[in-house]
Amino acid sequence: MSFSFAADCPAVSNLRPMKPRYSLLSRFLLLTAFAAAGTAAHAAAPRIRVLLIDGQNNHGAWPQTSQVIKTVLEQSGRFDVTISRTPPDDGRKPNYGAPQPTVEDMPAELQEAWARWRPDFSKADVVISNYNGVLWPEPVREAFEAFVREGGGFVALHAADNAFAQWEEYQRMVGVGGWYGRNTRTHGPRIHWEDGRLVKDPAPHYCGAHGKRSPVLVEIRDPEHPIVRGFPEKWLHPLDEVYYNMCGPAEHLHVIATAFSDAETGGSGKDSRSSSRSITAADALSTTCWATTCRASPAGASNTCSCAAPNGRPPARSPSPRLRPAISPPKKPCKTRRRPPPKTERVHQVALPRLRARVRAPP
């Protein structure tokens, strides 16, 4: 889940104030709020032209996600959605510790394809980005900045707010992001919610983390905002990731909802019901081991990191110097070596799915 923000005036360098149409939403808020707009009262309103950009993402299901967004929005009767798909990547493994590659890093044939990709922002009222990959070419970046400058709407969907760590104007649009070399010294403070207000933490730290997918309790912080007007004060989102340790320019942010980042699922471990803090990043783990079974230590103690044992239970933990609040690129998640199982065990592992397939559920 991305943080849910609405910016009344997203600051992009030398941009004049624009209409309050830019929002960074979580996936559920995006789809629900947009679909809810398709009521009979709005039947006569002109359709909103949406340009949805995809083509690369660190989440492999992005083609299905884009189709779901397009279907939901168009079925509301209020939106016309056009998908603009970028050229593919070159198959390299993502490096979450460095800015994403540029078009110049791509093979010649892909560079030619990128030279032909020119989305027409002038035919859109709002751009939805379901994209996280190669940095857009400079002409596209300039056209997109002009689109926002002139009042165009923009929604960054989930991992799209982590894209383009090296593109300063994009960072101002999304407010905060994570991974890809982001740190508080060069990108801006981390943010969290504490005692009913947004807190910016400039302490040196690497940025970007989330726990495992799990049910998420969402708490509305501005119930009168049009995006969430009519929503319950608290509601349970079935399954999602809660980002924390996010950092960036964090300018002109207006929080409309927060979510609890549960330590039991690898989150920051702060409960807004007991400590008046949610989506906290103040004492969360460094992303040097964000993909392992690491957990935050109790308040006042040193953060610790450990890898899961073969039985799924973490071994005894000890303070790790890697988790001190310092700037360093993330290392590969630690792995527990395990000897291969005996041959007989391998046979059983292969045969088990076949046996299960023969078992019929009772009528």
Side-chain angles (χ1 to χ4, degrees):
M1 176 183 287
S2 303
F3 290 137
S4 301
F5 298 118
D8 292 336
C9 180
V12 180
S13 294
N14 301 319
L15 299 192
R16 61 178 172 79
M18 56 176 278
K19 293 178 285 185
R21 295 176 54 189
Y22 158 70
S23 301
L24 170 59
L25 310 175
S26 70
R27 285 172 289 183
F28 186 82
L29 287 179
L30 167 70
L31 300 180
T32 306
F34 278 6
T39 61
H42 297 287
R47 288 177 177 264
I48 297 174
R49 301 171 301 170
V50 176
L51 178 63
L52 195 161
I53 296 179
D54 66 10
Q56 297 182 29
N57 205 299
N58 59 308
H59 296 75
W62 61 263
Q64 296 90 331
T65 304
S66 291
Q67 190 56 50
V68 168
I69 297 170
K70 177 178 172 65
T71 300
V72 170
L73 295 185
E74 290 186 337
Q75 285 182 349
S76 74
R78 292 212 61 203
F79 302 90
D80 288 325
V81 181
T82 300
I83 296 179
S84 178
R85 187 151 292 175
T86 72
D89 59 32
D90 61 351
R92 71 181 64 190
K93 186 176 180 180
N95 180 1
Y96 296 108
Q100 289 157 318
T102 65
V103 173
E104 291 72 22
D105 299 325
M106 298 294 106
E109 60 274 15
L110 287 181
Q111 291 190 32
E112 294 175 0
W114 276 106
R116 296 189 297 269
W117 182 70
R118 294 295 184 266
D120 189 353
F121 298 109
S122 67
K123 296 182 179 180
D125 299 309
V126 59
V127 171
I128 298 177
S129 177
N130 187 28
Y131 179 90
N132 186 22
V134 173
L135 179 66
W136 294 345
E138 185 175 0
V140 177
R141 300 200 305 270
E142 292 176 348
F144 182 62
E145 290 174 16
F147 169 78
V148 175
R149 180 185 300 115
E150 295 167 3
F154 174 44
V155 175
L157 181 65
H158 195 58
D161 71 312
N162 301 322
F164 313 140
Q166 68 271 57
W167 181 5
E168 183 179 352
E169 309 304 341
Y170 187 87
Q171 297 311 304
R172 293 178 181 271
M173 295 179 198
V174 298
V176 293
W179 296 276
Y180 302 104
R182 284 179 175 86
N183 62 79
T184 55
R185 286 178 180 170
T186 58
H187 291 81
R190 292 178 294 159
I191 63 171
H192 63 269
W193 187 260
E194 182 176 0
D195 296 329
R197 63 186 181 90
L198 182 69
V199 176
K200 300 179 181 181
D201 181 5
H205 210 287
Y206 197 82
C207 303
H210 66 72
K212 297 179 182 179
R213 296 179 186 179
S214 61
V216 176
L217 179 65
V218 179
E219 298 189 43
I220 304 301
R221 302 299 180 178
D222 183 3
E224 296 304 315
H225 196 282
I227 291 176
V228 293
R229 186 178 298 151
F231 276 49
E233 180 181 353
K234 299 180 182 180
W235 45 276
L236 190 65
H237 183 33
L239 193 67
D240 216 326
E241 300 165 346
V242 177
Y243 284 179
Y244 66 96
N245 263 5
M246 306 296 276
C247 70
E251 299 169 344
H252 306 280
L253 299 181
H254 180 77
V255 179
I256 58 175
T258 63
F260 172 52
S261 182
D262 195 342
E264 292 299 319
T265 61
S268 58
K270 295 296 180 181
D271 190 332
S272 60
R273 291 166 292 181
S274 60
S275 63
S276 298
R277 181 182 297 182
S278 56
I279 318 186
T280 181
D283 50 4
L285 292 175
S286 165
T287 53
T288 51
C289 55
W290 67 272
T292 69
T293 57
C294 303
R295 295 290 185 270
S297 301
S302 300
N303 286 325
T304 58
C305 173
S306 61
C307 294
N311 59 11
R313 295 192 300 269
R317 295 180 287 179
S318 59
S320 170
R322 292 186 301 166
L323 297 179
R324 294 170 183 169
I327 305 302
S328 59
K331 301 178 181 179
K332 292 183 179 180
C334 44
K335 296 181 180 180
T336 300
R337 295 185 178 181
R338 183 184 180 188
R339 292 183 179 179
K343 186 174 180 180
T344 55
E345 183 179 343
R346 292 180 182 176
V347 172
H348 287 303
Q349 289 174 344
V350 173
L352 185 58
R354 299 176 184 174
L355 295 175
R356 288 177 176 173
R358 299 174 185 174
V359 178
R360 298 288 183 180

